[in-house]
PDB file of all heavy atoms in Angstrom:
ATOM      1  N   ALA A 124      22.098 -18.066  -4.621  1.00 32.00           N
ATOM      2  CA  ALA A 124      23.454 -18.338  -4.313  1.00 32.00           C
ATOM      3  C   ALA A 124      23.885 -19.632  -4.790  1.00 32.00           C
ATOM      4  O   ALA A 124      24.377 -20.488  -4.108  1.00 32.00           O
ATOM      5  CB  ALA A 124      23.674 -18.250  -2.871  1.00 32.00           C
ATOM      6  N   ALA A 125      23.586 -19.996  -6.090  1.00 31.00           N
ATOM      7  CA  ALA A 125      23.827 -21.369  -6.445  1.00 31.00           C
ATOM      8  C   ALA A 125      24.493 -21.422  -7.802  1.00 31.00           C
ATOM      9  O   ALA A 125      24.161 -20.684  -8.616  1.00 31.00           O
ATOM     10  CB  ALA A 125      22.478 -22.156  -6.449  1.00 31.00           C
ATOM     11  N   ALA A 126      25.274 -22.519  -8.004  1.00 31.00           N
ATOM     12  CA  ALA A 126      25.752 -22.817  -9.367  1.00 31.00           C
ATOM     13  C   ALA A 126      26.299 -24.245  -9.286  1.00 31.00           C
ATOM     14  O   ALA A 126      26.261 -24.889  -8.241  1.00 31.00           O
ATOM     15  CB  ALA A 126      26.808 -21.780  -9.696  1.00 31.00           C
ATOM     16  N   ALA A 127      26.910 -24.662 -10.377  1.00 31.00           N
ATOM     17  CA  ALA A 127      27.195 -26.097 -10.493  1.00 31.00           C
ATOM     18  C   ALA A 127      28.264 -26.512  -9.504  1.00 31.00           C
ATOM     19  O   ALA A 127      29.350 -25.978  -9.307  1.00 31.00           O
ATOM     20  CB  ALA A 127      27.742 -26.291 -11.893  1.00 31.00           C
ATOM     21  N   ALA A 128      27.913 -27.566  -8.763  1.00 34.00           N
ATOM     22  CA  ALA A 128      28.852 -28.153  -7.913  1.00 34.00           C
ATOM     23  C   ALA A 128      29.265 -29.526  -8.327  1.00 34.00           C
ATOM     24  O   ALA A 128      29.373 -29.752  -9.603  1.00 34.00           O
ATOM     25  CB  ALA A 128      28.345 -28.226  -6.418  1.00 34.00           C
ATOM     26  N   GLY A 129      29.219 -30.543  -7.546  1.00 35.00           N
ATOM     27  CA  GLY A 129      29.504 -31.835  -7.992  1.00 35.00           C
ATOM     28  C   GLY A 129      28.354 -32.490  -8.681  1.00 35.00           C
ATOM     29  O   GLY A 129      28.518 -33.592  -9.305  1.00 35.00           O
ATOM     30  N   VAL A 130      27.122 -31.979  -8.592  1.00 44.00           N
ATOM     31  CA  VAL A 130      25.916 -32.612  -9.123  1.00 44.00           C
ATOM     32  C   VAL A 130      25.364 -31.955 -10.297  1.00 44.00           C
ATOM     33  O   VAL A 130      25.011 -30.730 -10.162  1.00 44.00           O
ATOM     34  CB  VAL A 130      24.859 -32.731  -7.957  1.00 44.00           C
ATOM     35  CG1 VAL A 130      23.624 -33.518  -8.516  1.00 44.00           C
ATOM     36  CG2 VAL A 130      25.398 -33.420  -6.764  1.00 44.00           C
ATOM     37  N   VAL A 131      25.400 -32.527 -11.500  1.00 47.00           N
ATOM     38  CA  VAL A 131      24.733 -31.975 -12.602  1.00 47.00           C
ATOM     39  C   VAL A 131      23.400 -32.747 -12.746  1.00 47.00           C
ATOM     40  O   VAL A 131      23.421 -33.892 -13.037  1.00 47.00           O
ATOM     41  CB  VAL A 131      25.558 -32.138 -13.787  1.00 47.00           C
ATOM     42  CG1 VAL A 131      24.828 -31.593 -15.134  1.00 47.00           C
ATOM     43  CG2 VAL A 131      26.942 -31.421 -13.750  1.00 47.00           C
ATOM     44  N   LEU A 132      22.271 -31.957 -12.598  1.00 44.00           N
ATOM     45  CA  LEU A 132      20.990 -32.589 -12.567  1.00 44.00           C
ATOM     46  C   LEU A 132      20.397 -32.838 -13.952  1.00 44.00           C
ATOM     47  O   LEU A 132      19.635 -33.710 -14.253  1.00 44.00           O
ATOM     48  CB  LEU A 132      19.985 -31.786 -11.757  1.00 44.00           C
ATOM     49  CG  LEU A 132      20.521 -31.590 -10.279  1.00 44.00           C
ATOM     50  CD1 LEU A 132      19.460 -30.723  -9.644  1.00 44.00           C
ATOM     51  CD2 LEU A 132      20.540 -32.921  -9.579  1.00 44.00           C
ATOM     52  N   ALA A 133      20.710 -31.940 -14.925  1.00 39.00           N
ATOM     53  CA  ALA A 133      20.303 -32.032 -16.239  1.00 39.00           C
ATOM     54  C   ALA A 133      21.142 -31.334 -17.159  1.00 39.00           C
ATOM     55  O   ALA A 133      21.647 -30.268 -16.952  1.00 39.00           O
ATOM     56  CB  ALA A 133      18.828 -31.524 -16.316  1.00 39.00           C
ATOM     57  N   THR A 134      21.276 -31.819 -18.375  1.00 44.00           N
ATOM     58  CA  THR A 134      22.000 -31.173 -19.437  1.00 44.00           C
ATOM     59  C   THR A 134      21.143 -31.431 -20.740  1.00 44.00           C
ATOM     60  O   THR A 134      20.757 -32.592 -21.086  1.00 44.00           O
ATOM     61  CB  THR A 134      23.370 -31.774 -19.685  1.00 44.00           C
ATOM     62  OG1 THR A 134      24.096 -31.651 -18.466  1.00 44.00           O
ATOM     63  CG2 THR A 134      24.100 -30.990 -20.745  1.00 44.00           C
ATOM     64  N   ARG A 135      20.812 -30.380 -21.484  1.00 43.00           N
ATOM     65  CA  ARG A 135      19.963 -30.511 -22.561  1.00 43.00           C
ATOM     66  C   ARG A 135      20.579 -29.710 -23.838  1.00 43.00           C
ATOM     67  O   ARG A 135      20.896 -28.644 -23.706  1.00 43.00           O
ATOM     68  CB  ARG A 135      18.599 -29.952 -22.288  1.00 43.00           C
ATOM     69  CG  ARG A 135      17.880 -30.809 -21.296  1.00 43.00           C
ATOM     70  CD  ARG A 135      16.462 -30.196 -20.948  1.00 43.00           C
ATOM     71  NE  ARG A 135      15.820 -31.061 -19.993  1.00 43.00           N
ATOM     72  CZ  ARG A 135      15.058 -32.136 -20.304  1.00 43.00           C
ATOM     73  NH1 ARG A 135      14.921 -32.471 -21.523  1.00 43.00           N
ATOM     74  NH2 ARG A 135      14.427 -32.780 -19.283  1.00 43.00           N
ATOM     75  N   GLY A 136      20.661 -30.426 -24.889  1.00 49.00           N
ATOM     76  CA  GLY A 136      21.068 -29.770 -26.191  1.00 49.00           C
ATOM     77  C   GLY A 136      22.505 -29.293 -26.124  1.00 49.00           C
ATOM     78  O   GLY A 136      23.276 -29.798 -25.350  1.00 49.00           O
ATOM     79  N   GLY A 137      22.791 -28.379 -26.993  1.00 51.00           N
ATOM     80  CA  GLY A 137      24.165 -27.809 -27.028  1.00 51.00           C
ATOM     81  C   GLY A 137      25.015 -28.439 -28.065  1.00 51.00           C
ATOM     82  O   GLY A 137      24.792 -29.542 -28.592  1.00 51.00           O
ATOM     83  N   SER A 138      26.080 -27.752 -28.435  1.00 50.00           N
ATOM     84  CA  SER A 138      26.971 -28.193 -29.471  1.00 50.00           C
ATOM     85  C   SER A 138      28.234 -28.751 -29.002  1.00 50.00           C
ATOM     86  O   SER A 138      28.968 -29.291 -29.860  1.00 50.00           O
ATOM     87  CB  SER A 138      27.183 -26.996 -30.468  1.00 50.00           C
ATOM     88  OG  SER A 138      27.858 -25.954 -29.740  1.00 50.00           O
ATOM     89  N   ASP A 139      28.528 -28.664 -27.720  1.00 58.00           N
ATOM     90  CA  ASP A 139      29.874 -29.162 -27.275  1.00 58.00           C
ATOM     91  C   ASP A 139      29.632 -29.946 -25.968  1.00 58.00           C
ATOM     92  O   ASP A 139      29.598 -29.400 -24.920  1.00 58.00           O
ATOM     93  CB  ASP A 139      30.794 -27.966 -27.040  1.00 58.00           C
ATOM     94  CG  ASP A 139      32.182 -28.387 -26.752  1.00 58.00           C
ATOM     95  OD1 ASP A 139      32.391 -29.578 -26.540  1.00 58.00           O
ATOM     96  OD2 ASP A 139      33.101 -27.497 -26.697  1.00 58.00           O
ATOM     97  N   ALA A 140      29.632 -31.252 -26.065  1.00 65.00           N
ATOM     98  CA  ALA A 140      29.380 -32.094 -24.889  1.00 65.00           C
ATOM     99  C   ALA A 140      30.469 -32.177 -23.952  1.00 65.00           C
ATOM    100  O   ALA A 140      30.438 -32.683 -22.881  1.00 65.00           O
ATOM    101  CB  ALA A 140      28.885 -33.498 -25.340  1.00 65.00           C
ATOM    102  N   SER A 141      31.728 -31.629 -24.386  1.00 79.00           N
ATOM    103  CA  SER A 141      32.894 -31.765 -23.545  1.00 79.00           C
ATOM    104  C   SER A 141      33.045 -30.632 -22.516  1.00 79.00           C
ATOM    105  O   SER A 141      33.902 -30.654 -21.665  1.00 79.00           O
ATOM    106  CB  SER A 141      34.144 -31.786 -24.415  1.00 79.00           C
ATOM    107  OG  SER A 141      34.230 -30.590 -25.233  1.00 79.00           O
ATOM    108  N   ALA A 142      32.177 -29.552 -22.628  1.00 85.00           N
ATOM    109  CA  ALA A 142      32.233 -28.488 -21.668  1.00 85.00           C
ATOM    110  C   ALA A 142      31.704 -28.983 -20.336  1.00 85.00           C
ATOM    111  O   ALA A 142      30.803 -29.760 -20.256  1.00 85.00           O
ATOM    112  CB  ALA A 142      31.398 -27.315 -22.170  1.00 85.00           C
ATOM    113  N   THR A 143      32.234 -28.508 -19.208  1.00 85.00           N
ATOM    114  CA  THR A 143      31.882 -28.958 -17.844  1.00 85.00           C
ATOM    115  C   THR A 143      31.778 -27.743 -17.026  1.00 85.00           C
ATOM    116  O   THR A 143      32.408 -26.760 -17.122  1.00 85.00           O
ATOM    117  CB  THR A 143      32.903 -29.898 -17.298  1.00 85.00           C
ATOM    118  OG1 THR A 143      34.185 -29.309 -17.168  1.00 85.00           O
ATOM    119  CG2 THR A 143      32.980 -31.156 -18.114  1.00 85.00           C
ATOM    120  N   LEU A 144      30.990 -27.876 -15.942  1.00 83.00           N
ATOM    121  CA  LEU A 144      30.773 -26.944 -14.827  1.00 83.00           C
ATOM    122  C   LEU A 144      30.873 -27.741 -13.602  1.00 83.00           C
ATOM    123  O   LEU A 144      30.218 -28.707 -13.429  1.00 83.00           O
ATOM    124  CB  LEU A 144      29.404 -26.210 -14.936  1.00 83.00           C
ATOM    125  CG  LEU A 144      29.132 -25.393 -16.233  1.00 83.00           C
ATOM    126  CD1 LEU A 144      27.766 -25.018 -16.211  1.00 83.00           C
ATOM    127  CD2 LEU A 144      29.991 -24.239 -16.245  1.00 83.00           C
ATOM    128  N   SER A 145      31.778 -27.272 -12.600  1.00 77.00           N
ATOM    129  CA  SER A 145      32.016 -28.088 -11.427  1.00 77.00           C
ATOM    130  C   SER A 145      32.568 -27.204 -10.329  1.00 77.00           C
ATOM    131  O   SER A 145      32.876 -26.010 -10.537  1.00 77.00           O
ATOM    132  CB  SER A 145      32.977 -29.236 -11.749  1.00 77.00           C
ATOM    133  OG  SER A 145      34.226 -28.646 -12.137  1.00 77.00           O
ATOM    134  N   GLY A 146      32.659 -27.818  -9.195  1.00 75.00           N
ATOM    135  CA  GLY A 146      33.357 -27.219  -8.023  1.00 75.00           C
ATOM    136  C   GLY A 146      32.692 -25.913  -7.462  1.00 75.00           C
ATOM    137  O   GLY A 146      33.407 -25.041  -6.949  1.00 75.00           O
ATOM    138  N   ALA A 147      31.415 -25.817  -7.588  1.00 74.00           N
ATOM    139  CA  ALA A 147      30.717 -24.658  -7.102  1.00 74.00           C
ATOM    140  C   ALA A 147      30.785 -24.587  -5.549  1.00 74.00           C
ATOM    141  O   ALA A 147      30.641 -25.588  -4.806  1.00 74.00           O
ATOM    142  CB  ALA A 147      29.304 -24.564  -7.574  1.00 74.00           C
ATOM    143  N   ARG A 148      31.045 -23.401  -5.014  1.00 79.00           N
ATOM    144  CA  ARG A 148      31.018 -23.224  -3.555  1.00 79.00           C
ATOM    145  C   ARG A 148      30.651 -21.747  -3.297  1.00 79.00           C
ATOM    146  O   ARG A 148      30.881 -20.829  -4.075  1.00 79.00           O
ATOM    147  CB  ARG A 148      32.330 -23.617  -2.960  1.00 79.00           C
ATOM    148  CG  ARG A 148      33.537 -22.680  -3.322  1.00 79.00           C
ATOM    149  CD  ARG A 148      34.218 -23.127  -4.614  1.00 79.00           C
ATOM    150  NE  ARG A 148      35.448 -22.324  -4.803  1.00 79.00           N
ATOM    151  CZ  ARG A 148      36.046 -22.343  -5.998  1.00 79.00           C
ATOM    152  NH1 ARG A 148      35.559 -22.864  -7.114  1.00 79.00           N
ATOM    153  NH2 ARG A 148      37.104 -21.618  -6.153  1.00 79.00           N
ATOM    154  N   PHE A 149      30.130 -21.617  -2.056  1.00 75.00           N
ATOM    155  CA  PHE A 149      29.807 -20.243  -1.642  1.00 75.00           C
ATOM    156  C   PHE A 149      31.210 -19.705  -1.223  1.00 75.00           C
ATOM    157  O   PHE A 149      31.999 -20.190  -0.490  1.00 75.00           O
ATOM    158  CB  PHE A 149      28.948 -20.282  -0.285  1.00 75.00           C
ATOM    159  CG  PHE A 149      27.627 -20.739  -0.642  1.00 75.00           C
ATOM    160  CD1 PHE A 149      27.089 -22.039  -0.307  1.00 75.00           C
ATOM    161  CD2 PHE A 149      26.719 -19.854  -1.161  1.00 75.00           C
ATOM    162  CE1 PHE A 149      25.789 -22.420  -0.599  1.00 75.00           C
ATOM    163  CE2 PHE A 149      25.347 -20.248  -1.410  1.00 75.00           C
ATOM    164  CZ  PHE A 149      24.877 -21.581  -1.164  1.00 75.00           C
ATOM    165  N   ALA A 150      31.404 -18.396  -1.680  1.00 77.00           N
ATOM    166  CA  ALA A 150      32.655 -17.796  -1.323  1.00 77.00           C
ATOM    167  C   ALA A 150      32.727 -17.520   0.194  1.00 77.00           C
ATOM    168  O   ALA A 150      33.842 -17.574   0.823  1.00 77.00           O
ATOM    169  CB  ALA A 150      32.787 -16.400  -2.078  1.00 77.00           C
ATOM    170  N   ASN A 151      31.576 -17.248   0.803  1.00 81.00           N
ATOM    171  CA  ASN A 151      31.463 -17.097   2.286  1.00 81.00           C
ATOM    172  C   ASN A 151      30.253 -18.034   2.714  1.00 81.00           C
ATOM    173  O   ASN A 151      29.328 -18.029   2.083  1.00 81.00           O
ATOM    174  CB  ASN A 151      31.155 -15.666   2.623  1.00 81.00           C
ATOM    175  CG  ASN A 151      32.354 -14.741   2.361  1.00 81.00           C
ATOM    176  OD1 ASN A 151      33.401 -14.902   2.937  1.00 81.00           O
ATOM    177  ND2 ASN A 151      32.101 -13.893   1.469  1.00 81.00           N
ATOM    178  N   LEU A 152      30.536 -18.885   3.734  1.00 86.00           N
ATOM    179  CA  LEU A 152      29.614 -19.786   4.148  1.00 86.00           C
ATOM    180  C   LEU A 152      28.581 -19.269   5.185  1.00 86.00           C
ATOM    181  O   LEU A 152      27.635 -19.972   5.561  1.00 86.00           O
ATOM    182  CB  LEU A 152      30.292 -21.019   4.793  1.00 86.00           C
ATOM    183  CG  LEU A 152      31.177 -21.883   3.763  1.00 86.00           C
ATOM    184  CD1 LEU A 152      31.895 -22.964   4.477  1.00 86.00           C
ATOM    185  CD2 LEU A 152      30.291 -22.322   2.612  1.00 86.00           C
TER     186      LEU A 152
END
Side-chain angles (χ1 to χ4, degrees):
V130 182
V131 178
L132 302 176
T134 305
R135 295 179 178 273
S138 58
D139 190 351
S141 60
T143 62
L144 299 169
S145 63
R148 67 272 187 197
F149 292 103
N151 295 293
L152 295 178

